Amino acid sequence: MITAAASLFAKLIMGNSDSSTQGKFGRLKNKVAGISKRRKHEQKSAEMPEKGSRRLVFVSVLGFYGSYRQCSQSELCDAMLILPIKKEWLYDSTGDGDVKENDEEQFPNFFTSMSLFFYDEQITRRFIQLLRFKHEQGLLFCMLDERDSHPHSDANPLVNPFWYHLSEALVRQGYDALHLDPNWYGKQTTLKFSKTSSVMCELYFRTAKYRCIQEIVYQSNPGLLKPIVHYDEMEPVHSVECQAEDEGSFHFVHPY
């Protein structure tokens, strides 16, 4: 069953933008803001997330679009997004956050690629509105944004700065830091989603292979974070032998 929050997002993306729907969207944003405020207070109190609760972490744009309606209200509000996009693709040049009719002219590749799957430019604009909402929450991490080096990157300057910034963001929310030492993965006999060499390439070159992203996120907080491509995705029953071939290079459509 589609929840109230998911149904509301579906209306926004599928084109129902009447005043009633927009009002509900505003109230939902206020509710989420309240949730975020309480979470920050809990973090300051050094309280870890509830035991047994695993937060959804989507690593694919199309996977998120295809299954976000299946999320419960709390899952949708709390979900993290780690996506191979740039923040600037989501906003017009004025920075006011409105979805403009000529936005597709500024970033044609992104709009064209998305429209190929959504079959409608209006649906594309409304989905981007949803991504903006997650960005305003501080829960959308755009992998392709250029970042300065991180203070902790001195430990291994070859690791892409994105991973240090993501790790820091997770720590601020009460999670353990990411394992960013490639040697750590080299010492593991089995991994959950990918293989050691592929994970190392991800850390160094930010290849945006979703199986590698899942591996890095999962290994840091296996009991608290659930990295997925699609909501219905089942986690591997058996671990991946480190010598096995990597099957995570297909990202629906490069690079989204």
Side-chain angles (χ1 to χ4, degrees):
M1 179 180 294
I2 298 177
T3 65
S7 177
L8 173 57
F9 280 125
K11 289 180 180 179
L12 284 168
I13 288 182
M14 296 309 294
N16 186 339
S17 58
D18 55 32
S19 59
S20 175
T21 300
Q22 296 294 343
K24 292 179 181 178
F25 183 59
R27 289 194 293 273
L28 178 60
K29 291 181 68 175
N30 291 335
K31 182 175 181 179
V32 172
I35 293 174
S36 299
K37 185 176 181 180
R38 289 196 298 273
R39 180 175 290 116
K40 289 180 180 179
H41 175 72
E42 292 173 355
Q43 292 163 6
K44 291 180 180 179
S45 301
E47 295 181 6
M48 293 298 293
E50 183 179 353
K51 185 177 181 180
S53 175
R54 298 186 67 194
R55 191 177 204 168
L56 299 182
V57 182
F58 285 91
V59 299
S60 167
V61 175
L62 296 180
F64 178 59
Y65 171 79
S67 60
Y68 77 89
R69 298 173 181 83
Q70 299 171 250
C71 299
S72 67
Q73 180 175 349
S74 59
E75 287 175 329
L76 189 59
C77 290
D78 287 344
M80 289 183 182
L81 311 179
I82 303 175
L83 306 177
I85 62 175
K86 290 186 177 183
K87 180 181 68 175
E88 67 182 44
W89 294 351
L90 306 180
Y91 294 91
D92 72 301
S93 58
T94 65
D96 60 13
D98 291 335
V99 183
K100 298 294 193 301
E101 292 297 323
N102 66 343
D103 273 358
E104 63 270 26
E105 297 177 4
Q106 299 183 48
F107 309 112
N109 292 335
F110 185 66
F111 273 86
T112 300
S113 297
M114 292 296 96
S115 296
L116 287 175
F117 286 87
F118 301 159
Y119 304 108
D120 189 303
E121 290 185 355
Q122 186 64 17
I123 293 177
T124 301
R125 296 189 188 98
R126 294 186 181 282
F127 180 63
I128 290 176
Q129 182 179 2
L130 171 58
L131 295 180
R132 290 172 177 174
F133 175 69
K134 297 303 296 183
H135 182 261
E136 291 172 2
Q137 286 184 279
L139 297 178
L140 168 59
F141 302 94
C142 301
M143 293 189 68
L144 300 188
D145 284 346
E146 295 300 326
R147 293 173 173 80
D148 296 331
S149 60
H150 191 276
H152 294 165
S153 63
D154 291 341
N156 194 326
L158 295 180
V159 172
N160 190 279
F162 167 79
W163 294 109
Y164 286 105
H165 287 280
L166 176 61
S167 182
E168 182 180 53
L170 291 176
V171 171
R172 286 199 302 265
Q173 297 195 36
Y175 297 101
D176 289 338
L178 298 177
H179 292 296
L180 299 182
D181 181 4
N183 293 326
W184 185 90
Y185 295 93
K187 296 177 182 177
Q188 309 307 307
T189 57
T190 59
L191 295 177
K192 188 77 170 178
F193 298 94
S194 186
K195 65 175 183 176
T196 303
S197 60
S198 296
V199 173
M200 288 182 174
C201 286
E202 182 64 52
L203 290 174
Y204 290 143
F205 304 113
R206 192 180 45 177
T207 59
K209 291 183 177 181
Y210 63 81
R211 293 303 181 197
C212 298
I213 301 171
Q214 288 178 282
E215 191 70 63
I216 295 170
V217 172
Y218 172 81
Q219 292 295 343
S220 65
N221 294 272
L224 297 175
L225 298 177
K226 184 178 181 180
I228 57 176
V229 175
H230 189 279
Y231 186 82
D232 288 335
E233 179 183 1
M234 299 295 292
E235 289 188 354
V237 176
H238 303 290
S239 297
V240 179
E241 292 293 337
C242 290
Q243 294 78 16
E245 291 297 321
D246 181 25
E247 299 179 352
S249 60
F250 180 61
H251 213 292
F252 288 101
V253 56
H254 182 76
Y256 314 117

